[in-house]
Amino acid sequence: MLKLFSCGYHTIHHEGIVRNRPNGSGNYTFVFFNSRAEVKLHENTTIVPKNTFVFFQPQTPHYYRELESPFINDWFHCNGYDFHKFLLNINFPLDTLIDASDPLLISRCIMELQNSYRLDGTLREHIIDCDLRSFFMKLSDLRERTAPHQLNRYYIQFTELRNDLYRYSHKKLSVKELALQLNLSKSYFQHIYKELFGCSVMTDIINARLEHARYLLDHSALSVTQIANSCGYENDTHFMRQFKKFVGVSPRKYRFRSET
């Protein structure tokens, strides 16, 4: 089981900070720099920009200090049986300074870790174990999906756009219009989208519409024609054809499936 020893979310150091650990910290230490810092690692001194993270192994010598005031960071110390094996299995980088593709994801996860750390209950340790494993797997998965490195700068914009596709599935937007929102050509936009999310933007548009359609069929009394319109389809014939192709049954059969 993975254990959390201490944790800080959005910690503000008004007087600055110096962490000098020539023999390491004695446990795994995660630091997310929300401010510029000077970091010494592997005998190399580096000026790191904000939104950089590093995960130190227990015996790794390291040093860092603030380069701006106030200095803000997120951090935690942890350890656990077979922790190193777990990290190797998910290909998580150790003792390496890494640009964060999604800074908000890291801060949100550490905020949740801090909340879990303050819990008092019989399931506290299990919740922390799950939170830690989920955090490292999310970061590892994100790192793989934003490789090559140049895709990092697109991740947040594309993630917000993708969330909007599912949130506003009724909107009638073409791929060309979506590409223009990010000032990209249609072909390059489609390439980046596929690299980041493993599917085409059209696949997500269809999935978003049909996901909302299934919800309305299950939880409303709207007619098929009304649902088609609510999900961005120009006519119910196209909607019914696409629904059956991807869901496997017609909208009517889907709605009354529990009665058969």
Side-chain angles (χ1 to χ4, degrees):
M1 182 176 290
L2 306 186
K3 296 184 179 295
L4 188 65
F5 299 133
S6 56
C7 181
Y9 162 70
H10 203 72
T11 305
I12 302 175
H13 306 268
H14 292 283
E15 304 303 321
I17 185 175
V18 175
R19 294 289 182 268
N20 185 22
R21 297 166 175 144
N23 299 310
S25 66
N27 47 56
Y28 287 92
T29 303
F30 185 93
V31 183
F32 177 49
F33 298 100
N34 301 124
S35 306
R36 291 174 63 248
E38 179 184 274
V39 179
K40 186 176 181 180
L41 177 64
H42 306 308
E43 300 300 324
N44 296 316
T45 301
T46 306
I47 305 301
V48 301
K50 63 180 296 185
N51 297 332
T52 301
F53 70 86
V54 61
F55 192 40
F56 299 112
Q57 295 187 78
Q59 309 307 320
T60 299
H62 60 271
Y63 165 97
Y64 61 86
R65 70 176 183 88
E66 87 290 343
L67 286 181
E68 59 186 63
S69 182
F71 178 81
I72 304 171
N73 68 338
D74 299 322
W75 55 272
F76 61 83
H77 295 269
C78 58
N79 217 327
Y81 177 72
D82 276 350
F83 197 2
H84 190 75
K85 182 179 179 181
F86 165 72
L87 296 169
L88 288 176
N89 285 340
I90 64 172
N91 197 31
F92 194 90
L94 296 164
D95 302 328
T96 306
L97 292 164
I98 300 172
D99 295 330
S101 301
D102 190 348
L104 292 178
L105 169 68
I106 295 176
S107 288
R108 282 197 304 268
C109 287
I110 293 180
M111 180 179 67
E112 287 300 318
L113 273 173
Q114 187 179 71
N115 291 337
S116 298
Y117 185 70
R118 292 170 177 167
L119 289 175
D120 182 19
T122 57
L123 295 177
R124 175 180 178 272
E125 298 301 322
H126 293 283
I127 292 171
I128 289 174
D129 177 68
C130 290
D131 284 350
L132 283 170
R133 291 180 189 275
S134 175
F135 174 70
F136 289 114
M137 287 190 286
K138 285 177 180 177
L139 278 191
S140 185
D141 176 70
L142 177 59
R143 188 166 177 266
E144 288 184 6
R145 286 188 287 111
T146 53
H149 181 72
Q150 60 264 30
L151 294 185
N152 281 357
R153 61 193 179 101
Y154 292 116
Y155 181 77
I156 294 178
Q157 288 177 296
F158 271 75
T159 299
E160 290 176 351
L161 181 143
R162 191 188 197 199
N163 289 339
D164 284 345
L165 289 182
Y166 280 86
R167 190 179 297 117
Y168 308 113
S169 56
H170 61 282
K171 287 189 175 181
K172 301 178 179 68
L173 291 173
S174 67
V175 176
K176 184 177 181 180
E177 289 172 319
L178 293 172
L180 285 174
Q181 288 184 20
L182 301 184
N183 296 315
L184 297 172
S185 69
K186 179 181 175 181
S187 60
Y188 191 48
F189 170 84
Q190 290 174 305
H191 168 73
I192 296 174
Y193 199 99
K194 182 71 178 290
E195 286 290 315
L196 287 176
F197 305 122
C199 66
S200 70
V201 64
M202 281 309 304
T203 296
D204 263 344
I205 289 173
I206 293 170
N207 284 340
R209 290 177 174 178
L210 297 183
E211 184 178 287
H212 187 50
R214 289 195 296 270
Y215 176 83
L216 292 176
L217 287 166
D218 285 334
H219 302 284
S220 80
L222 294 174
S223 68
V224 170
T225 298
Q226 289 172 317
I227 290 174
N229 185 64
S230 296
C231 295
Y233 289 92
E234 295 182 358
N235 60 77
D236 54 0
T237 301
H238 181 208
F239 165 66
M240 288 187 288
R241 186 182 301 115
Q242 199 164 76
F243 192 97
K244 186 171 184 179
K245 177 181 178 181
F246 287 91
V247 180
V249 295
S250 69
R252 178 177 173 77
K253 285 188 176 180
Y254 179 87
R255 168 171 273 171
F256 298 108
R257 65 194 183 281
S258 60
E259 299 179 8
T260 59

